Amino acid sequence: MNTTSAPEGSWEELVTVALLGTDRRTPPGCGPGQEAPMALLDAAAVETLRRRAGMRPAPAAARPEPSAPDPRPALPPAAAQRLTQLLTDRPGTGGGGRRGTAPDLMELLPQWLTLANAHGFAPPPQALPALLDAARGRTDLRPAALTFAGPRALWLARLNPDWRFALRSTPGGGTALPDPAEPERVQQLWQEGLFAERVALLTAIRTRQPAAARELLATTWTTERAEDRLMFLDSLRSGLCAADEPFLERALADRSRNVRATAAELLSALPESALAGRMAARAGSCVAVDRTRGTPTIVVEAPHECDAGMERDGVVPKPPAGRGERSWWLGQLVDATPLATWPRRLGGRTPEDIVALPVADDWQSELHAAWCRAAVRQRDPGWSRALLGAPSAPEAGGPGAVSLSERSKLLATLGSAERAEWVAGFIGTHGLSEAFQLLGVCAVPWAGPLGRAVVDALNIARDAGSYPWSFSGVMGLAERCLDPAEAVRLEGLTGIPEEPENAAPGAGSYWAEAFQRLVTTLRLRATMTKELTPPQPT
Amino acid sequence: MTQQGVRWTADQVLALAPDAASRKAGSKLGAAGPWSEAGSSDEGTVWGLCAGSGSKPYQTVIDVADSTGPAYKCSCPSRKFPCKHALGLLLLWAGEEGTVPRGQAPDWAEQWTEGRRQRAEEKATTTGGASGTASPGDPEAARRRAERRAERITAGATELEQRLADLLRGGLAGAEQAGYGTWEETAARMVDAQAPGLAARVRELGAIPSSGPGWPVRLLEECALLHLLDQGWLRRERLPDDLATTVRSRIGLHGSADGPQIHDRWLVLAQYDTSDSRLTTRRIWLHGSESGRTALLLSYGAAGRAPDLTLPVGLSFEAELSAHSGGGLRAALGERFTPPTPTATRPPGVTTPQAAAHYGKALRADPWLDSYPVILDRVIPTPDGEATTTPQRWQLADADGDLALPIALAPHSLPGLWRLAALSGGAPVTVFGECGHHGFTPLTAWPEGPGEAVSLCS
């Protein structure tokens, strides 16, 4: 605020005298001596009040540009209230390690956001700061949170450095990207924009016109810095198609090793590409079926060298510590070989038959692991199914040729119903202790058979007398992923059972607590869904 | 007055929580899961059984129909008041229709409410409805007590004037080295002199020299105002009545709420707490839609307990207030005739120059005022300077003019500032707050279009 310009000088003088003391300076309009301090205070009191009473507003700074309007309908009041509750539930302030019977609200936020976005609601503006803070702390929340937050969140983020991530994660930092139909503006941004803006531009065009994005990149490819080339090349991952092959082939000769490796990886995901063909020829010469034994057996002759051609096609010559060179090269060749190669190469067998063949000389785990990586990279459900095998097979519970993390990746290539069915079968046979990773890739809410398998397995674990925190990971997943309709079936489990002879002491009440939390959370999720469902117009 | 039939909002319930941890714990219990046999009666009783970690569920019962605010009973061992179970049950009751059905209260709940209401009726008949005023006792003895206290205060004020004179003789530059101890000692002497108002001001003086650049100016201002208060007390006989009352209450001799009764429909403008180690002070600002008056209610809670008066921001209710003597804004809440309900009325507001003038005028009646309650109409929260400068400065700029009031920023008020900015999005908003020599402290805001009040302090 401005103060009145009246006797500004006299106030300054009073402050000076007060700082030095009346023994050294005489206050204005007063003789020296005993009374000087009081005279100074009298004058200062008058002056202080004159200054305060005379306050005037200051000139206004430049007003911020108004934020873009949000055309979406407002949240229903109950849902707005729920959002506030979910956002105020900060983790790490609870009662220590024990989770109690109350739901973890923050863990329900991702689902809530998904639902709100599905209905296309706009947030109450005053909730945006808390929403941005939550998304700042949890990168997994960002896409859904920023979609929900809408244009006003970007407007806010431009005013607060703490929320800059919102501008980064939104293509073009909240400034409208040029339409691909405006070549001049696209060219201008591509030539002059910041790196992040250029990546956003390339990504945006790639989703709509894959070929145009590739051509744009080709115009400046040779002048980009190596680390930038790597990022730009990575943006071709989406919408990858056969037409990209010539460009990627050229990139195989790039100066940068990382760029070469990425180009090779992208080419190997194109089964028709020349690189895939070259890899298939190399891998095919290493793997064969030996019919001279009693049962047909796969024999492996790993490569003896990594020649310049292999290196040019992205094979890394130097193995990591503790791995043999030859098996390291073999793995990379099989990784990059189109899976359709193998039935042709191995006597017209189906993937199931091939996976079932014995493998000579301990090459099985190496070969199967490479097939798994290929099935994931090429998103081949047929091979995934074959490599997964039957969920009830004893080796499915590990330690088999295929690790649990590979299994969960393989499952991700299957349809959601098939995935849930496989995991349900797995849990039915092997219980929960190995299932956590597999459950993580199942679609939410869990399909009926899967949900039932999990609840039954928890029940069995309880009756076996273990403590619930051995299953806290699965419990947490169940709270978030079980179909809320299952709450009714769980009612019977929330009581405290009679303790059997061999049970862990007190486990019963802990289980009851865990099941109560599960039921409460499911109910809450059902309520949340209802709150977000717009009333049907009557 | 009864509140049956009126559903509360979740905000109203959460405002009852004694602290943030209880608010959170209560929120978690506001779902149907742990509750069984929950119900509510037409008389305003809500009850339910909450499953805890033990085998026996907790019995929770609440009387929401009491005119002095809700009363609670819960069989849990928590010392918090209300406990998380009571908060959870109220949230459940305030939430979805049908989760807490109407019904006949079980015996354990019935007994408690009956007992309470009987006691309340007995009390009302014995005291003739007066609410807890002390017995008048012997007027002569009371006069002597008051005289003795006035003498003590006079001695304290005289001593304080001496200390201020010594300080200014030697110069404020030396105050920086003098440290906090000497001021603490002086403050203790003022407590002994039964002048808590003087003691508090002296304690604040002690903190100024370490409060960053510009401290000499602030120290001189505060010393001068303290001197003015001392002089006001020492010459109180010669002051106009209202000013004398102001001086007495600034010293710590608070008048009683014996001013005129004002019957009106009161809009709750803001509610916020400040606490020190011993006491939580809750300030509630009200605006009367008929009288146009702004009134301040104060209520206190011992440290760790929420003050008992809770009024949800943005709602309005019909009640009688009695003003404190002395013409200030402070009032006491008398009888309430309706429960708080949502309202579409917005209080009328002013421009930034008018707001500054209001504060200037108010200083005439109370020179020690740090700020004055004001509603600003059509202002835009505007960053003053670059976003990269910390702390970022903000102002409230008139949408239809080119003047602005700086926003007074404290670290704890930042979340509220961002809520205000988000609510505005660059468009004009209506803001209620306190306008004073530190700048403008926003407390509540309303969006430009329709929309409810948003509290900026919590």
Side-chain angles (χ1 to χ4, degrees):
Chain A
M1 299 212 198
N2 298 345
T3 52
T4 42
S5 58
E8 191 59 37
S10 61
W11 172 249
E12 295 297 323
E13 204 174 341
L14 289 174
V15 175
T16 309
V17 176
L19 266 173
L20 296 172
T22 54
D23 285 349
R24 297 187 194 80
R25 276 287 182 94
T26 310
C30 158
Q34 278 303 315
E35 291 311 307
M38 288 296 139
L40 173 60
L41 283 170
D42 283 343
V46 171
E47 214 43 57
T48 297
L49 280 166
R50 190 206 300 273
R51 280 154 51 86
R52 288 187 180 182
M55 297 262 181
R56 291 279 169 275
R63 318 295 147 81
E65 275 293 311
S67 98
D70 193 335
R72 297 173 293 176
L75 275 179
Q81 183 61 48
R82 180 73 57 196
L83 172 66
T84 312
Q85 280 182 14
L86 297 183
L87 287 171
T88 46
D89 187 59
R90 283 267 177 258
T93 47
R98 189 154 162 204
R99 299 185 55 213
T101 57
D104 273 338
L105 297 180
M106 195 72 184
E107 290 299 337
L108 298 180
L109 191 56
Q111 286 185 38
W112 189 96
L113 288 169
T114 308
L115 274 171
N117 285 332
H119 286 300
F121 283 120
Q126 62 270 23
L128 290 175
L131 190 62
L132 284 165
D133 282 342
R136 184 191 179 196
R138 286 188 45 179
T139 43
D140 59 316
L141 279 180
R142 282 182 191 179
L146 290 174
T147 303
F148 176 63
R152 193 169 292 198
L154 298 175
W155 179 90
L156 266 183
R158 278 196 282 278
L159 299 171
N160 187 344
D162 285 353
W163 298 327
R164 217 169 266 158
F165 71 88
L167 306 178
R168 280 200 306 274
S169 2
T170 312
T175 52
L177 281 174
D179 192 325
E182 299 176 276
E184 300 84 14
R185 288 192 51 209
V186 169
Q187 268 305 332
Q188 189 187 1
L189 188 60
W190 182 247
Q191 298 289 351
E192 301 166 13
L194 299 168
F195 175 67
E197 288 172 336
R198 300 176 69 213
V199 171
L201 177 69
L202 193 64
T203 311
I205 298 179
R206 180 75 178 177
T207 50
R208 281 183 284 183
Q209 303 175 346
R214 188 184 62 244
E215 284 153 18
L216 184 67
L217 179 54
T219 56
T220 57
W221 178 252
T222 49
T223 60
E224 306 287 357
R225 300 180 320 160
E227 57 264 39
D228 294 1
R229 286 204 299 279
L230 187 63
M231 283 291 286
F232 289 139
L233 195 59
D234 212 52
S235 64
L236 298 186
R237 216 174 270 278
S238 66
L240 191 66
C241 62
D244 296 321
E245 192 186 345
F247 181 81
L248 293 171
E249 268 292 338
R250 284 199 298 282
L252 283 177
D254 199 89
R255 294 187 299 278
S256 151
R257 169 189 298 278
N258 286 334
V259 172
R260 290 201 299 273
T262 305
E265 190 198 333
L266 291 174
L267 280 167
S268 69
L270 292 170
E272 304 301 311
S273 68
L275 176 128
R278 293 195 293 274
M279 289 304 221
R282 291 183 187 119
S285 67
C286 300
V287 181
V289 176
D290 180 0
R291 293 191 191 74
T292 60
R293 310 186 183 210
T295 49
T297 304
I298 292 181
V299 287
V300 174
E301 177 73 21
H304 291 276
E305 59 161 353
C306 177
D307 59 31
M310 277 164 72
E311 263 199 79
R312 183 177 172 279
D313 284 345
V315 177
V316 179
K318 203 170 155 33
R323 291 206 51 180
E325 277 185 333
R326 295 181 60 199
S327 72
W328 168 243
W329 297 329
L330 174 83
Q332 294 182 77
L333 295 180
V334 177
D335 267 2
T337 298
L339 287 161
T341 310
W342 300 109
R344 288 201 300 273
R345 168 85 193 142
L346 304 176
R349 291 180 170 81
T350 62
E352 275 79 8
D353 295 341
I354 293 172
V355 171
L357 286 174
V359 183
D361 304 331
D362 295 335
W363 281 104
Q364 186 186 20
S365 62
E366 198 67 54
L367 188 61
H368 281 207
W371 277 334
C372 283
R373 292 193 296 272
V376 171
R377 195 191 285 184
Q378 297 167 34
R379 305 203 61 75
D380 187 321
W383 271 86
S384 295
R385 219 170 278 131
L387 289 158
L388 280 166
S392 54
E395 69 273 12
V402 182
S403 72
L404 278 170
S405 73
E406 277 165 340
R407 281 182 193 284
S408 58
K409 285 183 191 145
L410 290 171
L411 280 169
T413 68
L414 305 178
S416 58
E418 192 181 352
R419 215 180 312 161
E421 200 181 338
W422 196 93
V423 177
F426 179 93
I427 292 172
T429 309
H430 305 284
L432 288 171
S433 45
E434 306 292 339
F436 181 72
Q437 260 185 312
L438 304 177
L439 284 168
V441 295
C442 291
V444 177
W446 288 339
L450 175 58
R452 280 193 288 283
V454 171
V455 173
D456 290 347
L458 284 170
N459 217 347
I460 290 165
R462 176 178 71 160
D463 294 344
S466 45
Y467 280 118
W469 43 83
S470 321
F471 301 94
S472 59
V474 174
M475 266 289 185
L477 272 178
E479 286 163 26
R480 297 195 289 282
C481 309
L482 263 181
D483 191 325
E486 298 282 325
V488 184
R489 297 191 343 103
L490 289 161
E491 285 291 350
L493 299 175
T494 55
I496 298 173
E498 290 297 310
E499 293 216 345
E501 285 294 309
N502 56 351
S509 61
Y510 289 124
W511 276 106
E513 196 175 80
F515 278 122
Q516 277 171 21
R517 190 177 58 244
L518 182 56
V519 172
T520 309
T521 310
L522 295 180
R523 287 244 175 78
L524 181 59
R525 283 172 50 211
T527 310
M528 266 171 32
T529 310
K530 210 158 80 182
E531 285 167 348
L532 279 163
T533 310
Q536 296 305 322
T538 42
Chain B
M1 171 200 108
T2 55
Q3 300 206 345
Q4 70 262 25
V6 179
R7 292 218 161 234
W8 293 14
T9 64
D11 282 333
Q12 255 171 297
V13 175
L14 290 173
L16 299 168
D19 52 38
S22 306
R23 203 165 22 238
K24 205 176 118 170
S27 294
K28 289 189 169 184
L29 291 174
W35 293 96
S36 54
E37 297 175 40
S40 61
S41 75
D42 288 341
E43 288 77 46
T45 312
V46 186
W47 62 87
L49 299 175
C50 184
S53 45
S55 56
K56 200 171 178 317
Y58 296 126
Q59 298 176 333
T60 313
V61 53
I62 302 149
D63 184 355
V64 293
D66 195 294
S67 57
T68 58
Y72 325 88
K73 183 176 190 301
C74 182
S75 60
C76 75
S78 163
R79 299 233 182 127
K80 297 274 176 67
F81 197 78
C83 67
K84 63 181 181 183
H85 308 101
L87 289 168
L89 180 57
L90 280 175
L91 280 173
L92 193 69
W93 169 75
E96 236 185 308
E97 282 285 349
T99 42
V100 181
R102 283 289 159 86
Q104 182 57 45
D107 284 348
W108 54 268
E110 192 63 45
Q111 280 165 3
W112 177 74
T113 44
E114 273 312 303
R116 280 195 72 252
R117 285 184 190 157
Q118 257 169 8
R119 280 194 299 279
E121 276 162 28
E122 283 163 19
K123 197 170 146 193
T125 49
T126 52
T127 60
S131 52
T133 44
S135 62
D138 176 5
E140 182 54 28
R143 199 183 54 75
R144 274 205 304 276
R145 270 201 306 277
E147 258 176 29
R148 270 204 304 281
R149 183 172 179 185
E151 280 162 23
R152 282 217 186 92
I153 294 175
T154 301
T158 314
E159 183 187 349
L160 192 51
E161 284 291 271
Q162 206 48 58
R163 298 237 165 176
L164 287 172
D166 292 346
L167 173 69
L168 282 156
R169 243 181 237 113
L172 298 182
E176 213 176 357
Q177 288 89 42
Y180 203 80
T182 51
W183 291 114
E184 267 307 311
E185 190 191 323
T186 310
R189 308 267 305 146
M190 293 307 120
V191 172
D192 293 344
Q194 293 185 297
L198 293 177
R201 292 189 97 81
V202 169
R203 248 183 241 115
E204 277 169 31
L205 277 191
I208 292 178
S210 56
S211 65
W215 66 266
V217 170
R218 289 195 294 279
L219 187 55
L220 179 58
E221 284 182 338
E222 289 308 319
C223 286
L225 288 170
L226 185 53
H227 164 73
L228 189 67
L229 186 54
D230 287 334
Q231 292 300 327
W233 172 262
L234 296 172
R235 306 177 199 180
R236 61 191 181 283
E237 271 59 11
R238 285 185 274 159
L239 293 177
D241 284 351
D242 279 356
L243 198 53
T245 309
T246 302
V247 167
R248 298 170 65 85
S249 89
R250 289 282 173 191
I251 291 274
L253 291 166
H254 290 292
S256 51
D258 50 8
Q261 296 268 338
I262 318 146
H263 184 135
D264 205 338
R265 188 153 190 88
W266 298 98
L267 169 66
V268 184
L269 290 174
Q271 166 178 309
Y272 66 101
D273 296 349
T274 47
S275 35
D276 58 22
S277 52
R278 289 157 309 180
L279 195 67
T280 302
T281 307
R282 174 165 294 172
R283 285 178 174 74
I284 300 180
W285 287 108
L286 301 175
H287 180 270
S289 55
E290 297 290 317
S291 61
R293 284 181 68 127
T294 303
L296 173 66
L297 305 180
L298 290 179
S299 74
Y300 300 96
R305 287 193 58 164
D308 45 10
L309 181 61
T310 295
L311 293 168
V313 171
L315 305 195
S316 74
F317 63 103
E318 200 180 319
E320 235 166 28
L321 255 53
S322 35
H324 270 246
S325 53
L329 297 174
R330 202 177 152 189
L333 184 56
E335 194 175 351
R336 293 189 236 177
F337 305 103
T338 64
T341 49
T343 171
T345 29
R346 304 246 183 118
V350 297
T351 59
T352 57
Q354 288 167 312
H358 278 310
Y359 171 61
K361 268 206 207 68
L363 283 172
R364 285 200 300 223
D366 181 356
W368 299 276
L369 264 187
D370 281 324
S371 62
Y372 196 74
V374 174
I375 296 157
L376 289 173
D377 197 23
R378 292 185 53 75
V379 283
I380 300 173
T382 301
D384 185 7
E386 286 303 307
T388 46
T389 53
T390 42
Q392 209 178 354
R393 290 197 310 273
W394 283 75
Q395 48 176 225
L396 286 170
D398 283 321
D400 310 311
D402 45 17
L403 292 173
L405 291 173
I407 291 180
L409 262 193
H412 63 84
S413 63
L414 265 178
L417 171 71
W418 286 113
R419 279 209 296 279
L420 173 63
L423 185 73
S424 144
V429 284
T430 301
V431 184
F432 169 75
E434 292 167 359
C435 178
H437 59 94
H438 297 298
F440 190 94
T441 306
L443 298 172
T444 306
W446 291 261
E448 186 180 25
E452 48 192 32
V454 173
S455 173
L456 307 175
C457 36
S458 56

